[in-house]
Amino acid sequence: MARSRAIYEYTEAEDKSMRLGFLLIAAGLLSLLGLGCCWLRPALQERGGGGSANCTVLAVRQLGERFACTFSCGAACRGTARYPCLQVLVRTSRSAAPALLHEDERQLRTNPKCSYIPPCARDDQENSENVTYKQKYWKEKVGSQPFTCYFNQHLRPDDVMLRRTHDETVLLHCFLWPLVTFLVGVLIVVLTICAKSLAVKAEAIKKKKHL
């Protein structure tokens, strides 16, 4: 029995391989749990009750109100500038009531009153020009042409998004890489055990031949 136990003891290299495999398995499981609790569940809740529709621009306007944004001009250089509020009102194919268009969910959370947040520049005039350019884009280039927009009747019934932050590709990667890590860990452990088992069987056959 002692001889059998000695045969099945793993070498230092095999022991390191097993530890690496179990480490990858644990990392994959923890990543799945962490992403599921902290990121994936809110993303799915955002998508729940939502869908796509055809949107048509009703009105494009700038409000008199200005909002603050933070610009960066170096490692230790930050400041505050202001930009005008642009609102793009649209009609969707799902509802006759007008809705406020937003770039995506992140922009909606940052400033729910406006449709566009320009890249924050130090100069307020530059921010105003960026907003005016976007206003002309919606008025002249898009006009009355229908385009695809996204909505969520449960969370934001009066708002629609031009694109989703949490699309299918992001959700796929959220599952894919932790799953790949987990499977690689399982594969390393299984291959190490199989290699050891084959080595032990080969050693036993070799000893029988010499008897």
Side-chain angles (χ1 to χ4, degrees):
M1 180 67 69
R3 186 179 300 174
S4 176
R5 287 177 182 172
I7 290 175
Y8 275 91
E9 286 180 357
Y10 290 100
T11 63
E12 184 179 353
E14 291 168 339
D15 187 56
K16 288 181 178 179
S17 179
M18 292 287 286
R19 288 181 182 179
L20 175 62
F22 286 123
L23 180 63
L24 291 175
I25 291 172
L29 289 174
L30 290 175
S31 298
L32 282 172
L33 289 175
L35 288 170
C37 294
C38 301
W39 193 88
L40 185 59
R41 186 172 61 182
L44 290 175
Q45 287 175 349
E46 266 186 9
R47 291 171 60 84
S52 62
N54 287 328
C55 282
T56 307
V57 175
L58 291 176
V60 184
R61 64 193 183 191
Q62 283 193 34
L63 301 183
E65 188 177 1
R66 286 177 171 262
F67 292 86
C69 64
T70 303
F71 64 85
S72 176
C73 49
C77 176
R78 285 182 175 273
T80 302
R82 305 188 76 81
Y83 64 92
C85 181
L86 176 68
Q87 287 190 338
V88 180
L89 298 176
V90 299
R91 179 187 290 115
T92 71
S93 57
R94 298 295 185 95
S95 173
L100 182 60
L101 180 69
H102 300 273
E103 294 280 318
D104 52 30
E105 290 96 340
R106 188 179 295 111
Q107 183 268 312
L108 172 60
R109 289 192 298 267
T110 303
N111 190 341
K113 291 186 69 174
C114 305
S115 296
Y116 174 66
I117 300 177
C120 194
R122 178 185 295 187
D123 185 12
D124 290 356
Q125 181 61 32
E126 184 176 345
N127 292 326
S128 296
E129 290 173 358
N130 286 334
V131 172
T132 301
Y133 175 81
K134 183 64 71 170
Q135 182 179 6
K136 289 181 179 179
Y137 168 80
W138 284 107
K139 275 187 175 181
E140 299 173 5
K141 291 191 176 181
V142 178
S144 59
Q145 297 178 11
F147 59 92
T148 302
C149 60
Y150 301 92
F151 64 92
N152 192 315
Q153 295 290 351
H154 297 330
L155 297 179
R156 292 280 187 172
D158 298 326
D159 298 279
V160 294
M161 272 71 66
L162 186 60
R163 59 180 176 273
R164 282 176 172 154
T165 304
H166 307 299
D167 59 9
E168 288 80 0
T169 304
V170 176
L171 297 180
L172 174 64
H173 283 286
C174 184
F175 273 117
L176 179 62
W177 298 114
L179 185 61
V180 168
T181 303
F182 174 79
L183 292 177
V184 169
V186 172
L187 184 63
I188 290 174
V189 171
V190 170
L191 289 177
T192 303
I193 293 174
C194 289
K196 185 64 178 179
S197 177
L198 291 174
V200 169
K201 289 180 180 180
E203 186 68 22
I205 293 173
K206 184 177 180 182
K207 286 183 178 180
K208 284 183 180 180
K209 288 183 178 178
H210 287 287
L211 291 177

